[in-house]
Amino acid sequence: MVARIAALVVVGALAGALAGAVRADGLREGLHADDPRGVAAAVAAIEQAPAGTPELADTLFAAARACEDTLADPARALRLYERILAEEPDARVATAAARRAEQLRGRVGGHEEHAREAADLARLVAEAEQRPLDEVVRRADALGAAPWPGAPEAMLWLADWLRRHERLDEAAAQFDAVLARWPGTPHALAALRGGAGAALEAHDWDRAETLALLLPDGDGDGETVVRQDLLDGVSRGRGRARLLVLAWLAVAAVVAGLAASLAEATLRGGRTCLRWRPPVEVLYLAPIAAVLVGVAFTTHPLIAPAVALLVGGALTLAWLSGAALDTLRARGRAHHARAILHLVACMIATAALFYIALMRDGLLDLVIETVRFGPE
């Protein structure tokens, strides 16, 4: 009899735990609703869950994340994180909850006195991609000028957002403003990192180096690694910029040389007659070039400018070289040695054009990543 009662108790406990787990899963399921009102209703239901509910800490944490990511209500998220710390301090998610609570508390305030500003910033982050750029800048500037603890975060977010949208001069101004208003703070370090990265993207190597050198140079800490990565980026950027200049000079020299060859072939050995008719090389390559450019612009817009540059440059080289050699042949002049020189010059110019195309459209790093890690 005693054994039967004990078995019934165990079965009842297991059934209760299973029912609680199912209920917790059902509450969390509502957090993934497409409608924010459905998410808000799920969060409200979770807030009413009593202490001792199975998997309460995980459910509260998921609700807090939904408050941050979907409802743009950091004050409400903070209350949920603090409830985890108060009721479930030994839970698996307690450490993460403590970390998020500390961050939000610094933004919202100990008594939620800055809840409105924090909510405004959260809504701005959530809506930025659907709003006009001027509106985003205006709202972020207002939050950055307001007297609340999240002002530097608002300015840093705006700077990063402008950087992602390739408005690098405006991003640099925002990073500089953070450095000026909050020197010696973690926000200033973030501004140094962001400003140096934006300068790298703008190819302002001197500014990038100056900002990177202001980062701390400790013994193997994270900032040291970032500092070295930025300085390595400056070194690579300067080297690539020098090669880019040399590539343009090589292309210019080859084009000038081929033009001079055509002029010499035209002016010597008979009646001056510049051959405007495309040589056979161009007549053969032009249709293929048109197809390549058309396919690139319709299917791969990222690489289309590079393809157009390479194809246009190749046709120009073929036209100049072919016209000069055709003129020499038409006048019975020796042309074999010059043909070899043209071939070598065109190979040099083509390699230079390839490098220019990769650098001008930012494809070199993509090619390197593809070679190292394979296509996505």
Side-chain angles (χ1 to χ4, degrees):
M1 185 68 178
V2 175
R4 184 177 299 175
I5 293 174
L8 290 174
V9 170
V10 170
V11 170
L14 290 173
L18 179 61
V22 171
R23 180 171 181 271
D25 289 340
L27 290 174
R28 287 200 294 272
E29 186 66 27
L31 299 175
H32 304 293
D34 295 331
D35 185 2
R37 288 176 296 185
V39 176
V43 171
I46 290 171
E47 289 173 327
Q48 299 302 316
T53 300
E55 300 185 16
L56 176 62
D58 290 341
T59 304
L60 290 173
F61 190 85
R65 294 302 304 178
C67 288
E68 290 192 74
D69 300 334
T70 304
L71 302 182
D73 192 346
R76 193 175 187 181
L78 176 60
R79 290 194 292 272
L80 289 168
Y81 288 132
E82 289 178 334
R83 181 178 172 185
I84 294 173
L85 299 176
E87 298 181 9
E88 304 280 345
D90 298 323
R92 177 176 55 86
V93 296
T95 301
R99 184 164 53 250
R100 291 301 305 158
E102 182 181 1
Q103 294 174 354
L104 290 179
R105 198 176 296 114
R107 189 183 305 168
V108 174
H111 303 286
E112 299 186 8
E113 60 269 27
H114 300 294
R116 181 181 62 82
E117 291 90 345
D120 287 344
L121 177 58
R123 280 193 295 271
L124 176 59
V125 172
E127 301 170 356
E129 300 305 324
Q130 289 77 45
R131 299 294 181 183
L133 186 141
D134 291 342
E135 178 186 342
V136 172
V137 173
R138 176 180 55 78
R139 289 169 61 182
D141 280 340
L143 288 169
W148 70 296
E153 294 182 39
M155 294 182 67
L156 285 171
W157 175 84
L158 177 59
D160 285 327
W161 189 82
L162 290 168
R163 179 183 170 186
R164 290 196 304 272
H165 287 77
E166 298 183 354
R167 302 176 71 95
L168 299 177
D169 290 341
E170 297 172 58
Q174 289 290 333
F175 285 126
D176 287 345
V178 174
L179 283 171
R181 289 180 59 182
W182 293 280
T185 65
H187 301 109
L189 283 178
L192 283 174
R193 292 192 296 269
L200 278 178
E201 293 166 13
H203 298 171
D204 188 347
W205 316 121
D206 291 340
R207 172 179 167 80
E209 184 177 43
T210 299
L211 293 176
L213 289 173
L214 293 176
L215 288 169
D217 185 17
D219 296 326
D221 59 3
E223 294 298 338
T224 301
V225 174
V226 172
R227 180 182 190 269
Q228 190 57 50
D229 285 344
L230 289 169
L231 292 175
D232 290 343
V234 170
S235 179
R236 284 194 304 270
R238 282 179 172 153
R240 291 175 180 179
R242 285 192 291 268
L243 286 176
L244 186 61
V245 172
L246 292 176
W248 277 116
L249 290 175
V251 172
V254 169
V255 170
L258 293 176
S261 177
L262 175 59
E264 191 276 338
T266 302
L267 296 174
R268 287 185 57 192
R271 183 171 60 88
T272 300
C273 179
L274 185 62
R275 295 176 60 90
W276 291 107
R277 184 172 63 85
V280 65
E281 296 92 331
V282 174
L283 294 175
Y284 175 77
L285 291 174
I288 301 174
V291 171
L292 287 175
V293 173
V295 170
F297 273 99
T298 54
T299 60
H300 300 286
L302 182 64
I303 66 171
V307 173
L309 176 64
L310 287 170
V311 168
L315 286 176
T316 300
L317 296 172
W319 196 316
L320 291 173
S321 176
L325 296 176
D326 284 352
T327 302
L328 290 174
R329 280 192 293 266
R331 291 180 174 174
R333 296 177 56 188
H335 60 276
H336 295 293
R338 190 175 300 196
I340 295 174
L341 288 175
H342 282 199
L343 175 62
V344 173
C346 288
M347 291 175 62
I348 293 173
T350 301
L353 282 171
F354 184 72
Y355 183 77
I356 291 169
L358 290 178
M359 289 301 300
R360 191 187 65 171
D361 299 302
L363 298 178
L364 182 59
D365 289 328
L366 293 179
V367 171
I368 293 173
E369 290 296 317
T370 302
V371 171
R372 291 177 61 189
F373 303 111
E376 293 183 355

